């Protein structure tokens, strides 16, 4: 596992997530800015908090995913979480 792979996720409300990475780091990210319109058809459903809350970890990809197939790069999320720590 690369250190930035995500192994657990918790929805914190709104567009905020608590991520647990393979290197043991646990950090929070707020994806509100990233999900502002226009953000493309794949990410548009994530603007709705109820859909955003359906986030899960894909162990094969090592990142967070949503039921419509949207995902985010784990290394970018790791960097964002570190910058807020």
């Amino acid at each position: 596992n690369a250190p930035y792979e995500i192994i657990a996720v918790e929805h914190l409300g709104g567009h905020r997530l608590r991520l647990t990475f393979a290197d043991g780091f646990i950090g929070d990210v707020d994806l509100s800015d990233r999900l502002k319109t226009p953000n493309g058809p794949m990410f548009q459903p994530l603007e709705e908090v109820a859909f955003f809350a359906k986030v899960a970890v894909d162990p094969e990809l090592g990142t967070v995913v949503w039921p419509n197939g949207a995902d985010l790069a784990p290394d970018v999320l790791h960097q964002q979480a570190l910058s807020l720590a």
Side-chain angles (χ1 to χ4, degrees), residues 38-66:
N39 56 23
M42 186 63 90
F43 291 98
Q44 191 170 5
L46 277 63
E47 293 174 20
E48 185 182 328
V49 172
F51 188 84
F52 183 83
K54 295 180 180 182
V55 65
V57 173
D58 182 321
E60 284 187 36
L61 297 176
T63 194
V64 290
V65 295
W66 285 268

Side-chain angles (χ1 to χ4, degrees), residues 17-82:
L17 300 174
R18 177 159 294 143
L19 305 170
T20 303
F21 295 88
D23 64 359
F25 175 67
I26 298 172
D28 298 345
V29 294
D30 185 341
L31 301 175
S32 301
D33 288 343
R34 180 168 290 186
L35 297 175
K36 286 184 180 169
T37 305
N39 56 23
M42 186 63 90
F43 291 98
Q44 191 170 5
L46 277 63
E47 293 174 20
E48 185 182 328
V49 172
F51 188 84
F52 183 83
K54 295 180 180 182
V55 65
V57 173
D58 182 321
E60 284 187 36
L61 297 176
T63 194
V64 290
V65 295
W66 285 268
N68 68 338
D71 64 40
L72 295 169
D75 55 332
V76 173
L77 292 171
H78 191 268
Q79 187 62 40
Q80 184 176 347
L82 277 174

